[in-house]
Amino acid sequence: MIIQNPHSDPLSDVLALAGLRAACSVRLRAGGEWALRFRPIELKFNVVRRGECWLRTENTPARLMRTGDCFVVSRTPFILASGPDIAAVDAAAVFSAANESARFGVGDEVELLGGSVSLVSPGAVELLDLLPPALIIRAESGAASSFGWLLDELDREWQSGMMAGQAMCNDLLRLIFIHALRYHITTADAADLKWLGGLRHPSIAPVLRAIHGAPEKSWSLAELASLACLSRSGFAALFKSVVGQAPVEYATRWRMQVAAARLLNGVDSVATVAAALGYLSDAAFGAAFRRVHGQSPGRYRRQTAGISPDSR
C-alpha cells in the first residue's frame, strides 16, 4: 500500500494554527414579542431550526432569518428579535439562569441552535480579521445540504444524552464554522477576501500552496514567480494586489506564524525550531521573528504562555 501525503492546503494550515475550539453550545426557544442582545467575544454561530426572526447588527439593515438559515457573527454585538425595532434584553442574563437551553418571551414559535467558537492562539486574530461582521448562509443556497446534515447530527447529539455528547457537539460546531468559511470564500467578492482571495486565483493559488507546504524554505521572488508562470515584476504586482502583501513578505510572515505555533505548542528549544525552519543561526531566526512579532522568540514563548520573563 502506498501512502501519499495530501497536497498543501493553506486554509487548513491557517485553521490548524488558529486553534479552533467550540466554547459552548446553546439552544433558544422564543415566542411572542421578544429581542435578545448578544456580545460575542470571537465567533457566534446560529441556525434557525424553526420559525423566523430578525438579525440586527450595527450599520447594517435588519435581515429576516427563516427556517434553515445559518449565520456566523465575528466580534460584533448583534440582536435577535421577533421584529426589526424591538428593544433588546441582554442575552447573558437569560442564559445565566438557563445554562445551555433557554426560553424567552411567550410561546416557542422560534427555535435556534448554535454556540460560540473561539480561536485560541495568537495567530487567530488574523483569521478573524478576514471575516465579515455577519456571514449569512441562506437555506436555499448550495451549501445548505452540508449544513443540513451537520445540523441534524448536532440536534441528535444534543438530545441523545449519550457519552461524549458534548465533545461531539463541539466538533460538529467546528465543522459548521469551517463550512461557513468555505462558503464565504466561494461566494464573496475577491476584494472582500484579502489573502483568502488568492486561493481562488489561478496564478496565486499554486504559490500559496507552495509557501504553506514548505515553511522552512527561504523563497526568492524568482522562484515564486516561476510557480505562477509570470515575470517577476508582473507576479509581484499581481500578488500584492490580490493578497495585500509582497510575496516574499507573505512567505516570511507565514514562516514566523509556524514558528510561533511551534514555540507555544511544543517542547522544542528556540534553536531547534529555528533549525527546523531552515535558519542557519539563532541570531538570524531571532531577527526575523522580532520583525514579525515584535519581540524575541524566547520572550514571546514566556509571555504568551503566561510565564514571567524572569522565570526559567
Side-chain angles (χ1 to χ4, degrees):
M1 180 173 63
I2 299 174
I3 300 176
Q4 295 181 329
N5 292 326
H7 295 297
S8 177
D9 175 0
L11 184 56
S12 291
D13 296 337
V14 172
L15 286 166
L17 294 194
L20 195 66
R21 183 177 68 193
C24 66
S25 303
V26 297
R27 180 189 293 273
L28 171 67
R29 292 186 177 96
E33 185 175 286
W34 62 276
L36 289 173
R37 179 181 292 104
F38 296 84
R39 294 181 175 86
I41 297 173
E42 290 174 347
L43 294 169
K44 176 80 172 172
F45 167 84
N46 275 286
V47 58
V48 182
R49 297 294 288 162
R50 185 178 71 252
E52 60 184 37
C53 63
W54 290 84
L55 170 65
R56 290 149 50 187
T57 56
E58 280 188 28
N59 304 318
T60 304
R63 286 162 285 188
L64 183 61
M65 309 295 295
R66 297 185 173 90
T67 300
D69 289 345
C70 311
F71 61 92
V72 178
V73 179
S74 175
R75 296 183 297 185
T76 301
F78 67 96
I79 293 172
L80 294 177
S82 57
D85 301 308
I86 299 172
V89 173
D90 188 0
V94 174
F95 279 94
S96 64
N99 198 8
E100 296 174 345
S101 183
R103 288 180 179 272
F104 192 65
V106 180
D108 61 353
E109 295 97 344
V110 184
E111 181 181 3
L112 295 104
L113 184 67
S116 296
V117 179
S118 62
L119 295 92
V120 297
S121 81
V125 174
E126 294 190 19
L127 181 59
L128 290 177
D129 287 342
L130 299 174
L131 296 173
L135 173 63
I136 296 175
I137 304 97
R138 295 295 183 184
E140 61 271 19
S141 73
S145 58
S146 296
F147 276 95
W149 182 85
L150 287 166
L151 294 169
D152 285 343
E153 290 298 308
L154 179 61
D155 196 41
R156 279 194 285 271
E157 283 294 331
W158 192 276
Q159 299 184 54
S160 69
M162 295 179 64
M163 294 181 295
Q166 186 67 52
M168 183 69 81
C169 287
N170 287 345
D171 285 342
L172 287 165
L173 280 170
R174 281 194 288 267
L175 288 173
I176 291 167
F177 168 66
I178 293 171
H179 273 282
L181 190 56
R182 282 178 169 177
Y183 178 81
H184 177 53
I185 293 171
T186 57
T187 59
D189 291 338
D192 297 330
L193 289 173
K194 302 182 182 178
W195 76 264
L196 288 175
L199 301 178
R200 288 170 27 184
H201 197 287
S203 296
I204 302 302
V207 176
L208 293 176
R209 288 195 294 269
I211 290 171
H212 282 254
E216 73 285 352
K217 184 176 176 62
S218 180
W219 293 96
S220 69
L221 179 60
E223 289 171 320
L224 296 174
S226 177
L227 291 171
C229 299
L230 296 169
S231 68
R232 284 183 293 179
S233 59
F235 166 70
L238 176 65
F239 193 97
K240 182 81 177 281
S241 68
V242 172
V243 178
Q245 300 175 50
V248 174
E249 176 191 2
Y250 179 90
T252 300
R253 287 185 63 83
W254 173 244
R255 204 178 186 187
M256 291 302 101
Q257 288 171 9
V258 173
R262 292 183 183 179
L263 288 170
L264 294 180
N265 297 335
V267 296
D268 291 337
S269 66
V270 171
T272 300
V273 172
L277 287 172
Y279 284 89
L280 300 179
S281 72
D282 293 355
F285 172 66
F289 195 93
R290 278 191 294 273
R291 281 196 298 272
V292 172
H293 295 291
Q295 55 189 317
S296 70
R299 185 176 181 84
Y300 177 90
R301 170 182 264 172
R302 291 190 295 269
Q303 287 196 339
T304 308
I307 300 173
S308 168
D310 295 329
S311 63
R312 295 290 183 265

